[in-house]
Amino acid sequence: MSDKFTITVDGQPVEVQPGETVLTAARKLAVDIPTLCFLEKCGPLNTCQVCLVKLNGKLVPSCGTKVTPGMVVESETEEVHEARRTALELLFSDHVGDCLSPCHRLCPLMLNIPVMLRHIEAKRIDDAIATVRQALPLAGVLGRLCHHPCEQGCRRGNWDSPAAIRDMERFVTDQDFKQTEPHAPSRKPSTGNSVAIIGAGPAGLAAAYYLSREGHSVTVADRQAQAGGTLRDVAENQLPGSVLAAEINLLARLGVDFKFGVELGQQVTLEGLGRGFGAVLVTVGELAKEDGGKLGLPLAGNSIKADPNTCQTPMEKVFAAGSAVRLQKQLVKAMAEGRAAAECVHRFLSGQPARRPEKPFSSIMGRLESGELRQFLRHASAGGGVSPCDRCAGHTRQEAVQESARCLHCDCHSSGNCVLQHYAQVYGANASRFRSERRAFAQQSQPGGIIFEPGKCILCGICVKLTEMAAEPLGLAFIGRGFDVKVSAPFGREVEEGLQKVAAECVKHCPTGALVFQNGKPGPDAVQP
């Protein structure tokens, strides 16, 4: 006779074994209960409290609660989600670190700038090209014309001068153009959906880039004889025609179909386009008052009426963006509006409520004191900004390497792979809800390549348990009492000294990036199992 029995999780029956936990049972049903302090081999540590579920009217940690016959568990209710969100926010109350660097957060198109600079510094130009092309439409144009708000947030500027981020984007795309076939970003399989974009200016071209990559069939129509809109008015010495042509050709390689000499209200109407396409996006640029009748859309002054959150107009299936809705004087912001509209259209075509893209979650340290800044400077080039010998030609490879080496890399080494960051995004956590004055940033660099940032440690206990199980000669332990508890090696020794056998395992399973390897891998002196 089997000892198995059934419990219920969120109304779904699941067969379990005696001794299993609620967390294990939920995972059998693919219910995603967040965990930060749980590692199967270590058993329940019950420190983070983000895996809470409701059982018999009480909130309990699922990782340490054993199943019993007839148990009824609630996991995905608003009450449970609020409790998990609060647990996450409490962990951020003493968290010292940025998930995303200021330059990354300030880029309207969310280019991962520190990653691009790391690739250039390491002379991995192909990787840098892929990073830029995955994020930026018309990257070669932006590398010349963007007003670079990212550089205003660069912390290096608080020491001498900011990293030349825009110039590095230009360098990367210039290197790409030198290849026989420039890099084409990935494109998802065809969805069978079609979109008509009216207007081939910056917003329309950006929207075409993102929608095509989502697998939609995109047709861009413009009344002019060629694509580019206001970009065609830029002087040749600022934007060579060959660069714009190469970027538009890349869109064509992504599958974008261009139709020229086509004016809305003349050759085509919104009603007719609505019958032939799944969605229509109007990006015709700045309007005059008399244009409303031609377009067939209601105007507010000189702007198309469109919902700011969904980009939808009063007409079914018709969206609008760019200067046709709100005058955009800065290129990168116009393209960001194209990106937002593309997200709204994509969700609409996918049967989801239209909305703008969510901002990626980031904990924010704010301004660094000079002593904190010096800790980042230890890993960066001490040299000042590197100007190219030939400004017209841009940076050479060596000059670009030298300039990129000035980056402080003040983003989190684990951003994008951090469990805390991931679930903060999922649950909409407010990192500042319980935060008061933060403690000073500290970064302990060890000879074997380990970096320990105590301000990111949430005292989950995983590394302490792993060193205990591996019988480390020294190991790690909780040191201190109350609010002063910290993880460290005993007897005042360095953290790395306690990680002679399981350094890589501890780094791998650290849920917040408090323990990482410099440059993402063990140094030559690190002792591994």
Side-chain angles (χ1 to χ4, degrees):
M1 183 175 178
S2 173
D3 291 331
K4 293 181 180 180
F5 54 89
T6 298
I7 70 168
T8 302
V9 180
D10 291 333
Q12 300 182 74
V14 57
E15 192 174 59
V16 295
Q17 298 268 16
E20 289 184 343
T21 64
V22 171
L23 177 63
T24 301
R27 286 180 171 175
K28 290 180 180 179
L29 295 172
V31 175
D32 182 22
I33 296 178
T35 60
L36 294 174
C37 68
F38 180 77
L39 188 62
E40 192 77 41
K41 68 183 291 184
C42 296
L45 299 174
N46 294 326
T47 60
C48 72
Q49 298 296 300
V50 299
C51 70
L52 295 173
V53 295
K54 193 170 185 180
L55 179 62
N56 298 326
K58 295 182 179 180
L59 293 170
V60 298
S62 60
C63 69
T65 302
K66 299 295 179 64
V67 295
T68 57
M71 179 181 278
V72 177
V73 178
E74 295 177 79
S75 172
E76 302 306 304
T77 68
E78 182 51 41
E79 179 187 5
V80 172
H81 282 202
E82 176 58 31
R84 292 173 183 171
R85 184 160 47 247
T86 299
L88 290 164
E89 291 168 342
L90 286 168
L91 292 174
F92 279 111
S93 67
D94 196 34
H95 190 77
V96 184
D98 291 326
C99 302
L100 309 180
S101 61
C103 61
H104 189 171
R105 292 199 311 272
L106 287 173
C107 175
L109 293 170
M110 294 308 297
L111 170 65
N112 194 328
I113 293 163
V115 167
M116 175 191 73
L117 296 177
R118 277 195 278 271
H119 289 329
I120 299 172
E121 182 184 358
K123 301 181 181 179
R124 293 161 52 190
I125 304 303
D126 286 345
D127 289 335
I129 290 170
T131 296
V132 171
R133 289 294 185 194
Q134 287 293 106
L136 302 183
L138 308 185
V141 175
L142 286 166
R144 287 167 168 81
L145 302 182
C146 182
H147 74 290
H148 50 78
C150 51
E151 294 182 23
Q152 298 171 25
C154 177
R155 287 189 168 120
R156 183 69 191 236
N158 295 323
W159 187 259
D160 43 24
S161 61
I165 297 167
R166 182 181 65 184
D167 287 347
M168 294 302 96
E169 290 173 14
R170 173 184 168 174
F171 164 77
V172 168
T173 51
D174 283 353
Q175 295 299 309
D176 189 23
F177 290 147
K178 291 178 181 178
Q179 301 185 117
T180 304
E181 187 171 278
H183 178 88
S186 59
R187 186 176 187 271
K188 295 179 181 178
S190 174
T191 62
N193 294 317
S194 60
V195 183
I197 299 176
I198 308 303
L205 293 176
Y209 165 86
Y210 291 108
L211 285 166
S212 179
R213 291 190 56 206
E214 288 290 350
H216 305 303
S217 174
V218 178
T219 299
V220 178
D222 196 281
R223 63 184 178 181
Q224 303 298 334
Q226 51 192 347
T230 54
L231 295 174
R232 294 288 174 184
D233 300 330
V234 180
E236 177 74 12
N237 63 341
Q238 292 181 282
L239 177 62
S242 60
V243 172
L244 180 56
E247 292 292 352
I248 292 171
N249 182 60
L250 179 59
L251 289 174
R253 284 177 56 203
L254 280 172
V256 176
D257 185 23
F258 289 96
K259 305 290 185 184
F260 299 115
V262 177
E263 185 171 1
L264 187 59
Q266 298 293 324
Q267 288 79 12
V268 294
T269 64
L270 291 176
E271 290 84 356
L273 291 170
R275 290 191 293 270
F277 291 87
V280 181
L281 174 60
V282 180
T283 57
V284 292
E286 191 174 358
L287 298 172
K289 287 185 178 179
E290 60 270 19
D291 289 331
K294 297 178 186 177
L295 298 178
L297 286 171
L299 300 189
N302 291 3
S303 301
I304 295 173
K305 287 183 179 179
D307 188 306
N309 298 312
T310 67
C311 299
Q312 290 174 302
T313 72
M315 184 176 289
E316 186 183 8
K317 300 204 301 188
V318 177
F319 297 73
S323 290
V325 175
R326 183 180 179 184
L327 185 61
Q328 301 292 334
K329 294 184 178 180
Q330 295 168 336
L331 173 63
V332 69
K333 289 188 176 181
M335 297 176 80
E337 285 301 299
R339 173 177 179 255
E343 175 70 11
C344 293
V345 172
H346 168 64
R347 290 180 62 84
F348 171 79
L349 292 172
S350 304
Q352 306 173 63
R355 63 164 172 76
R356 287 171 170 263
E358 290 183 0
K359 290 184 177 180
F361 176 87
S362 181
S363 174
I364 299 174
M365 279 196 293
R367 186 175 179 85
L368 300 182
E369 299 297 330
S370 59
E372 297 175 314
L373 191 58
R374 286 192 181 92
Q375 296 190 61
F376 286 106
L377 283 161
R378 290 179 302 172
H379 305 295
S381 166
V386 181
S387 298
C389 294
D390 184 342
R391 171 55 65 179
C392 292
H395 287 74
T396 65
R397 285 200 171 213
Q398 187 55 39
E399 289 168 344
V401 168
Q402 292 174 328
E403 178 61 31
S404 296
R406 298 179 63 246
C407 175
L408 301 182
H409 301 301
C410 54
D411 59 324
C412 179
H413 289 75
S414 293
S415 182
N417 297 307
C418 172
V419 183
L420 179 60
Q421 180 190 27
H422 169 73
Y423 283 115
Q425 181 88 44
V426 169
Y427 285 91
N430 177 1
S432 302
R433 181 180 173 191
F434 297 111
R435 183 175 293 165
S436 55
E437 185 176 349
R438 71 168 174 85
R439 54 174 157 160
F441 172 80
Q443 188 180 77
Q444 301 172 12
S445 299
Q446 316 285 325
I450 290 178
I451 294 176
F452 177 52
E453 295 185 6
K456 293 178 182 176
C457 177
I458 60 171
L459 305 175
C460 68
I462 289 176
C463 60
V464 174
K465 186 68 175 179
L466 288 174
T467 60
E468 176 189 329
M469 294 172 68
E472 285 274 13
L474 189 60
L476 300 178
F478 293 114
I479 310 294
R481 292 173 176 267
F483 290 111
D484 295 324
V485 171
K486 62 180 182 179
V487 168
S488 187
F491 312 116
R493 309 284 283 276
E494 296 288 345
V495 165
E496 190 170 69
E497 295 179 75
L499 295 175
Q500 297 301 301
K501 298 180 180 180
V502 288
E505 191 173 10
C506 288
V507 167
K508 178 182 178 180
H509 295 297
C510 179
T512 66
L515 278 172
V516 295
F517 286 118
Q518 180 74 32
N519 299 322
K521 56 186 178 181
D525 300 326
V527 179
Q528 300 301 313

